Amino acid sequence: LEALKKSDLYSLEDLVNSISDLTNGFENFHNINNEQKELFLILCSQYYFRVKDPRLNVLLDKFEEIKKEKFNAALRFMTESELNQFLQNDLYSNIDIFFALYCPELAQKSFTKHLFELALYSKGLQFRQSRGINKYLNESQVDSIIDLKNKIRNTDIKLASGDSYKNLLLQRQKEILYREALRLYMATIPEEKFEITTVQRELHKDEIAVEFIKYKSIYGRSDSVKYVAMVLDSENLYPKFVPLFEEDQLVQGQKNNEHFNLDTIEEDKEIRGYGLTPIRSINNNEYTLIWMPILKLFPNVKRIYFSTTGLMNQLNLTSSLIKDSLYMSDKYDMFQLSSTFNLRNIKENRLAHVKSALLIGGVEYGNVEQSSKRKDIASWNFLKGTLREVTNIDSFMLKKSISTTLLTGNLPEEALVKLKLNEPQSIIHFATHGYYDKKNNLNNMPLYFKSNPLTQSVLVLANANGFSNNMNDVPDNGYLNALEISHLDLSQTSLVVLSACETSLGANISQYESNFSLVRGFKIAGAKSIISSLRPISDDATQEFMRLMYIFLLNDKLDVHNAFYQTQKLMKSKNKNPTYWSGFILVD
């Protein structure tokens, strides 16, 4: 290990030769446990990568065999926190090594197929487990499973409101309950195969599917984090491996190229959140780092399906600036997906059978003056635009014979909102304050010992000013977080609109998972398409954005995707400042 860290090839060569002799050319690993075998293979494969030795391919094949066994065990027996720890192995990532040791000069062409399928399998693995178990628990009519579901939910509530001494015991209790739910759930599902053919057969001639990958360097600089794109089209047999940038370049670009800030909103507009985060964009540098290397290889593409990772989750990649006032969404038809594997499920969502809609806005948050006397209680101001927004949408939908539930003023208290969310809704629309609470600093926490990171992403409801802005205080306190949402059954919901600040943001605790945001909570609950925001948004501009979108959606009968992007284009034609139209993203 020391030889590897110091890049001492001579010492490493001696070590590799010794391991080769010991294992009869890496063929005989008898009396060597799996951990030692794995370490031997990693050391030797890194050496062969450095000296460009073809034996690298043989070792990676053997390493893949070990990983398949470990992943199968992980999926069937590990709880959420255990799976997260497994994926974020501190010494050697279970996934990174395949991307870090990819060498075009040595690897067979088919190796990129393995890399793309590894991305499909590993990205969102923990999310798929959470969504599957939630669906299983919500749909079961068996008394013992309903009881198990209630026990898990009650433990989550206690974890949210309990003190630090009790939380460890409660976490262990939840692990036992969750493991039992996992065992029952896994017994009901077949093994799912993540093959590129599933994605490729959905692509037409002028379309590409892009899986963005983030991986840690496993030699040299220990803090080096790199991004690559795995790109699949309908014509090439194997995907393309496209190196992009190191994370430092993305961070530096954000610092150097801020091109608009909150002042453009705060001058004469109200915003729907804390408003503490400066708005930064890497502007044209974003296009140069992310899209240009891909488009050079695919110059004739017209439609792009993509799935983000890492810091990309904080960016609107459909609004990357190409030049002057030309943005990516102006030139290409773009679909952001939680995984490109979801291409198999994407259908034109024209919402032709919209039966009901839940509309929440114009919320009365309580007495601001009284709440402002205590530092731990937030003062949420009334948002006039949200009231106009939901009442106009309500009137419009009633004309279209859509059954609506409109909650305004003091009505949208947390308990009632949860009750209405548990009823089948075709569309769910929140127009209120929202925020991602960074104060608890959970971003780098590998396990959920303090609280589940989904509790940090929040929608603010009626009478929240009467409670501490530590939303973990008590249940039904006016702060509806993503964890509470994730327990719901929203499988009949076609569209969720989160017309509030920072609803796309959340703890980024795993490079293989999306942010632990409100979007993730709604996705786990089963919602299909979600419109959310990346930053603080203007109350007035957002009201106009939503008014136009529902006209495109329900009057012009456009599908959700086209209604959303037509709204962005129309808003951009009215106001060139990206603040008013680029803050929202659509995730299918």
Side-chain angles (χ1 to χ4, degrees), residues 141-178:
Q141 300 298 315
V142 179
D143 289 343
S144 59
I145 296 175
I146 294 173
D147 182 58
L148 178 62
K149 176 182 73 173
N150 292 334
K151 286 179 179 178
I152 292 174
R153 304 298 192 255
N154 290 335
T155 305
D156 274 330
I157 292 172
K158 292 177 182 178
L159 273 168
S161 58
D163 58 47
S164 58
Y165 296 103
K166 293 180 180 178
N167 273 14
L168 187 56
L169 292 174
L170 287 167
Q171 183 65 42
R172 288 173 179 167
Q173 181 181 340
K174 182 185 175 182
E175 294 284 292
I176 294 171
L177 295 169
Y178 193 91

Side-chain angles (χ1 to χ4, degrees), residues 132-150 153 181 184-185 188 489:
I133 290 177
N134 184 68
K135 186 173 186 291
Y136 172 76
L137 293 175
N138 280 329
E139 292 180 351
S140 178
Q141 300 298 315
V142 179
D143 289 343
S144 59
I145 296 175
I146 294 173
D147 182 58
L148 178 62
K149 176 182 73 173
N150 292 334
R153 304 298 192 255
L184 294 169
Y185 163 66
T188 67
D489 179 7

